[in-house]
């Protein structure tokens, strides 16, 4: 899966000359948390809801709404935006984009092709992908098991599951906490994981945890 498959193509952006008041209004109107700052169709900055909240004074500091708006209308986007923008390409693998967001601690990535802004990928979009990859959008069962990190072991586990006539909805592997082992999380298309759990335990896989999930 690539960034282009999940990015938001309906863009809401601002210009450097726009005001803090405009940013506040736009974020609220579209219920979003990030605004790319553009010059033509090129990204020159980005503004987050945190940037806006940090720059905006408390409304209680001003006797009237008109005075508050007068202040926010005097501050330009250019003064509060992040100028060094981290971007991704539309063909970037989604997991690389997620890793970049985690490493840089950012909540959105403008998607740029040949210098032009063509989309936005947010942390909400990435979480949606992870949810689907984990099979969490479907009713079924979840099995968690630790296996040796050796060739053929995962294939054997999948074979044991399929021998019980149970379909695997999703499979995720992670490094285990200790030793040369892997944690395997299976989502199964069945409401009763017990036969699979017993079959795995019978083949020597200890501490198999199975549960029904909505």
């Amino acid at each position: 899966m690539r960034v282009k498959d999940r990015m938001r193509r309906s863009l809401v952006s601002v210009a450097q000359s726009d005001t803090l008041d405009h940013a506040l209004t736009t974020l609220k109107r579209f219920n979003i948390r990030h605004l790319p700052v553009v010059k033509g169709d090129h990204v020159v900055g980005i503004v987050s809801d945190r940037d806006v909240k940090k720059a905006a004074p408390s409304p209680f500091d001003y006797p009237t709404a008109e005075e508050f708006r007068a202040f926010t209308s005097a501050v330009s986007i250019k003064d509060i935006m992040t100028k060094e923008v981290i971007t991704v390409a539309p063909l970037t693998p989604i997991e690389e984009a997620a890793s970049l967001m985690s490493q840089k601690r950012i909540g959105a990535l403008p998607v740029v092709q040949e210098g032009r802004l063509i989309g936005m990928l947010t942390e909400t979009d990435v979480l949606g992908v992870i949810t689907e990859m984990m099979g969490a959008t479907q009713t079924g069962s979840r099995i968690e098991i630790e296996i040796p990190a050796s060739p053929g072991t995962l294939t054997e586990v999948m074979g044991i599951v399929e021998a019980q006539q149970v379909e695997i909805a999703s499979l995720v592997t992670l490094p285990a906490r200790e030793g040369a082992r892997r944690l395997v999380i299976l989502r199964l298309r069945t409401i009763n994981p017990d036969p699979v759990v017993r079959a795995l335990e019978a083949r020597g896989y200890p501490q198999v945890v199975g549960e029904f999930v909505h």
Side-chain angles (χ1 to χ4, degrees):
M1 184 179 292
R2 308 285 174 169
V3 165
K4 67 180 180 64
D5 300 316
R6 290 296 178 147
M7 70 182 188
R8 304 183 184 201
R9 299 175 186 272
S10 180
L11 297 172
V12 180
S13 62
V14 291
Q16 296 180 79
S17 58
D18 286 329
T19 65
L20 173 58
D21 179 69
H22 177 69
L24 282 164
T25 302
T26 304
L27 289 168
K28 184 177 181 180
R29 178 187 302 164
F30 292 97
N31 192 29
I32 54 178
R33 292 189 290 175
H34 301 86
L35 288 167
V37 185
V38 298
K39 184 176 182 180
D41 54 6
H42 290 73
V43 182
V44 295
I46 191 167
V47 174
S48 70
D49 57 347
R50 284 180 293 181
D51 298 327
V52 168
K53 289 174 183 176
K54 185 177 179 180
S58 169
F60 298 107
D61 292 338
Y62 290 83
T64 66
E66 288 74 17
E67 288 180 301
F68 174 78
R69 189 166 187 180
F71 176 89
T72 56
S73 296
V75 179
S76 71
I77 294 294
K78 184 178 180 180
D79 296 327
I80 65 171
M81 71 181 190
T82 298
K83 297 180 176 65
E84 296 181 3
V85 187
I86 300 171
T87 65
V88 289
L91 293 180
T92 301
I94 199 77
E95 64 271 20
E96 288 186 15
S99 177
L100 183 61
M101 293 170 79
S102 176
Q103 291 173 17
K104 300 297 183 180
R105 297 186 178 183
I106 53 178
L109 290 166
V111 185
V112 175
Q113 185 173 42
E114 297 179 354
R116 295 174 49 250
L117 176 67
I118 62 169
M120 286 285 288
L121 184 75
T122 71
E123 56 191 355
T124 301
D125 302 322
V126 172
L127 284 172
V129 173
I130 294 172
T131 299
E132 290 182 22
M133 289 175 64
M134 296 291 290
T137 58
Q138 303 174 22
T139 299
S141 299
R142 180 181 187 275
I143 285 182
E144 190 171 304
I145 178 176
E146 281 193 13
I147 65 173
S150 55
T153 307
L154 184 58
T155 301
E156 181 182 64
V157 168
M158 294 172 63
I160 294 170
V161 174
E162 291 173 353
Q164 300 302 310
Q165 303 298 309
V166 174
E167 183 182 353
I168 299 173
S170 71
L171 185 154
V172 176
T173 67
L174 300 166
R177 296 183 183 89
E178 298 179 0
R181 301 180 68 80
R182 286 190 292 178
L183 176 65
V184 178
I185 302 172
L186 295 157
R187 297 283 295 216
L188 308 177
R189 298 190 193 280
T190 177
I191 61 173
N192 180 18
D194 292 345
V196 175
V197 171
R198 289 194 295 267
L200 287 166
E201 290 176 338
R203 293 288 289 271
Y205 291 97
Q207 299 179 336
V208 181
V209 179
E211 58 186 336
F212 168 72
V213 288
H214 296 282

